[in-house]
């Protein structure tokens, strides 16, 4: 079944409307060229973006803003998978000294610019954060050991924490509500720049004489295009055109969302934990993100697992969810049973590559066919710069906001057998 979906104006959470004491923050503006050329206005380039997660939506947003005629194809719903269930944590420099350094820095600053442009604090919960690293041991007594708590640990973190340290400041770490962020961008792309959202399953990419021609959807609809961007996340492995070149495997990550009785007591401190279970064994590394909605998000308990065909079939493993609930009550008495309502128990799949580097660029041997996938746990952070760079690559022939050469899918050519397109 294929249907065109009108995207309504975003319904903003009443919690965000009521956010108090909103702090100001310095803005480092990064601008992706956004004025359509006269040629583009006369003959807009037809681009089909496949995948309604944050990477596809950011790509669609910047393409449409540049004047392209954009159709976003999504099988289920925009931000229905990892882009709706992620933590939304942003970091300026945590990817330094690696292949993602320039992409992450550009994207962190682009998040700031978008927050100013789209009223991010109110629209999708953008805010700077202090980020702490803590060690915590699960015990029968949840009291903090005498002398171990310091002034950097907020009062609501009243569990047995040790070795607290600041690992991010409001200048270097921030957050968004990922589902609200992604849906805000697609709403703007539709309302302001004429993008179209189509709910349908991608069947194939049609190629003629080495150039992309169209995409075919389940049910028979064919969408003619001058360019196609494949941003399929963990479902990249389901498309032979791409899986014959490189492998994307999926990491299943679990999370819960809690609503404490006293949300005003929960300060904007993200927590990265070294968590020692009471029964011993290898320490866990869960993360805790309070949100300006009044909710608290906890995630962790990841393992490689094959992604199901339908995102609606994804459910969390009960054992992993129970561990996260124990983490919550160990960290804070305000997050335990009876003190906080469980709003969601969920899981999502993160797209990972064999060399841990995203795949961003034109597909070798097929002109006008592009791919953007494999961002693992940094998809929300790197979505804006990936989308802006893809828009430049598709419309200008090269990206200027960030050098994409290290991400090119051409790096895999020769490592695996090319299959049938």
């Amino acid at each position: 079944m294929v249907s065109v979906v009108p995207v309504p104006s975003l319904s903003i959470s009443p919690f965000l409307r009521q956010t108090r004491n909103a702090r100001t923050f310095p803005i480092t503006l990064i601008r992706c060229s956004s004025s359509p050329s006269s040629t583009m206005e006369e003959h807009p380039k037809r681009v089909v973006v496949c995948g309604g997660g944050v990477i596809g939506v950011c790509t669609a947003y910047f393409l449409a803003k540049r004047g392209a005629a954009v159709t976003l194809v999504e099988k289920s719903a925009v931000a229905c998978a990892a882009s709706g269930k992620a933590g939304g944590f942003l970091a300026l420099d945590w990817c330094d000294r690696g292949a993602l350094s320039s992409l992450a820095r550009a994207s962190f600053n682009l998040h700031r610019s978008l927050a100013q442009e789209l009223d991010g604090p109110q629209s999708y919960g953008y805010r700077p954060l202090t980020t702490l690293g803590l060690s915590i041991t699960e015990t029968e007594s949840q009291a903090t050991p005498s002398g171990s708590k310091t002034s950097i640990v907020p009062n609501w973190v009243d569990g047995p924490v040790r070795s607290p340290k600041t690992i991010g400041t409001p200048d270097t770490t921030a957050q968004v509500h990922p589902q609200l962020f992604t849906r805000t961008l697609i709403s703007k792309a539709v309302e302001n720049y004429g993008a179209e959202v189509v709910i349908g399953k991608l069947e194939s990419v049609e190629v003629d004489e080495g150039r992309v021609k169209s995409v075919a959807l389940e049910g028979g609809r064919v969408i003619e295009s001058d360019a196609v961007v494949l941003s399929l996340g963990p479902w990249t492995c389901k498309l032979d055109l791409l899986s014959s070149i490189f492998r994307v495997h999926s990491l299943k990550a679990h999370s819960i969302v809690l609503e404490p009785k006293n949300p005003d007591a929960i300060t904007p401190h993200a927590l990265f934990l070294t968590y020692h279970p009471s029964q011993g064994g290898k320490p866990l590394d869960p993360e805790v993100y309070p949100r300006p909605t009044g909710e608290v998000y906890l995630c962790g308990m990841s393992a490689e697992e094959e992604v199901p065909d339908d995102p609606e079939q994804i459910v969390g493993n009960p054992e992993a969810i129970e561990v996260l609930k124990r983490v919550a009550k160990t960290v804070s008495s305000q997050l335990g049973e009876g003190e906080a309502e469980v709003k969601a128990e969920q899981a999502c799949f993160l797209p990972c590559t064999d060399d841990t580097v995203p795949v961003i660029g034109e597909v070798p041997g097929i002109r006008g066919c592009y791919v953007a996938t494999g961002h693992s746990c940094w998809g929300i952070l790197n979505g804006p710069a990936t989308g802006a760079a893809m828009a430049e690559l598709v419309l200008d022939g090269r990206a200027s906001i960030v050098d994409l050469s290290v991400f090119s899918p051409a790096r895999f050519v020769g490592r695996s057998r090319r299959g049938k397109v």
Side-chain angles (χ1 to χ4, degrees):
M1 179 180 179
V2 178
S3 58
V4 179
V5 178
V7 179
S9 300
L10 184 72
S11 177
I12 299 177
S13 164
F15 288 111
L16 294 183
R17 292 197 187 99
Q18 297 168 8
T19 300
R20 295 180 293 278
N21 302 321
R23 56 174 291 152
T24 58
F25 47 88
I27 299 295
T28 302
L29 293 177
I30 290 185
R31 297 290 186 196
C32 176
S33 176
S34 59
S35 300
S37 65
S38 58
T39 302
M40 183 69 72
E41 290 174 344
E42 294 171 5
H43 305 287
K45 193 165 191 173
R46 301 168 301 170
V47 186
V48 177
V49 179
C50 300
V54 68
I55 303 299
V57 165
C58 285
T59 300
Y61 174 81
F62 284 107
L63 280 166
K65 192 174 183 180
R66 286 283 308 274
V70 177
T71 302
L72 179 80
V73 175
E74 162 56 38
K75 178 179 179 178
S76 181
V78 170
C80 67
S83 297
K85 300 174 182 176
F89 179 75
L90 314 175
L92 171 68
D93 53 5
W94 287 27
C95 297
D96 281 1
R97 297 178 297 281
L100 272 68
S101 176
S102 59
L103 181 70
R105 283 180 168 268
S107 210
F108 184 86
N109 288 323
L110 192 48
H111 266 291
R112 284 178 165 170
S113 301
L114 286 169
Q116 183 186 55
E117 178 183 342
L118 304 176
D119 192 16
Q122 292 297 315
S123 297
Y124 50 81
Y126 176 91
R127 67 176 176 182
L129 289 172
T130 295
T131 304
L132 303 178
L134 304 170
S135 178
I136 189 164
T137 301
E138 184 179 79
T139 62
E140 292 300 322
S141 171
Q142 300 303 109
T144 301
S146 176
S148 68
K149 188 161 183 176
T150 70
S151 59
I152 68 170
V153 179
N155 290 332
W156 61 273
V157 181
D158 54 9
V161 300
R162 295 183 183 275
S163 307
K165 58 182 178 180
T166 300
I167 57 177
T169 71
D171 291 328
T172 62
T173 54
Q175 73 179 146
V176 296
H177 188 299
Q179 185 180 77
L180 293 177
F181 171 71
T182 305
R183 291 183 176 177
T184 294
L185 256 63
I186 197 60
S187 294
K188 294 297 182 182
V190 170
E191 295 167 4
N192 296 355
Y193 309 118
E196 178 186 21
V197 177
V198 173
I199 299 300
K201 181 181 178 181
L202 173 67
E203 284 286 308
S204 63
V205 177
E206 306 300 321
V207 178
D208 182 27
E209 297 183 351
R211 172 172 288 280
V212 73
K213 179 182 178 182
S214 60
V215 299
L217 307 185
E218 184 178 72
R221 178 173 178 180
V222 174
I223 306 176
E224 303 289 334
S225 61
D226 301 307
V228 172
V229 180
L230 301 168
S231 49
L232 304 174
W235 287 275
T236 301
C237 63
K238 306 289 186 181
L239 188 66
D240 288 345
L241 185 153
L242 298 178
S243 63
S244 63
I245 304 172
F246 59 90
R247 186 174 84 104
V248 169
H249 58 277
S250 51
L251 190 68
K252 186 176 185 179
H254 292 79
S255 59
I256 59 175
V257 180
L258 305 175
E259 186 175 292
K261 289 181 177 179
N262 184 18
D264 290 341
I266 311 297
T267 55
H269 288 78
L271 309 179
F272 282 71
L273 307 177
T274 300
Y275 186 85
H276 301 271
S278 58
Q279 68 271 29
K282 184 180 179 180
L284 307 176
D285 53 358
E287 301 160 17
V288 182
Y289 304 124
R291 289 174 167 169
T293 57
E295 299 169 332
V296 178
Y297 173 99
L298 290 89
C299 65
M301 306 302 294
S302 303
E304 189 168 335
E305 187 175 316
E306 185 176 355
V307 65
D309 288 337
D310 188 350
E312 301 297 334
Q313 297 174 349
I314 299 172
V315 295
N317 301 333
E319 299 83 359
I321 296 298
E322 287 306 311
V323 170
L324 291 175
K325 290 179 180 178
R326 292 208 313 270
V327 171
K329 71 178 183 180
T330 303
V331 169
S332 174
S333 60
Q334 298 195 49
L335 301 181
E337 186 176 357
E339 295 300 320
E341 180 184 354
V342 179
K343 303 292 288 187
E345 301 175 356
Q346 58 196 15
C348 62
F349 285 82
L350 308 178
C352 307
T353 62
D354 289 340
D355 60 6
T356 72
V357 177
V359 185
I360 310 170
E362 191 168 26
V363 176
I366 307 177
R367 297 187 304 278
C369 185
Y370 304 86
V371 61
T373 189
H375 291 71
S376 187
C377 62
W378 291 116
I380 304 300
L381 166 64
N382 288 320
T386 298
M390 287 302 298
E392 292 177 330
L393 183 62
V394 171
L395 300 179
D396 304 330
R398 64 179 296 274
S400 61
I401 189 172
V402 65
D403 181 3
L404 292 180
S405 58
V406 69
F407 307 109
S408 172
R411 71 185 190 267
F412 297 103
V413 173
R415 299 188 194 178
S416 59
R417 179 174 60 86
R418 284 296 301 271
K420 182 180 177 182
V421 173

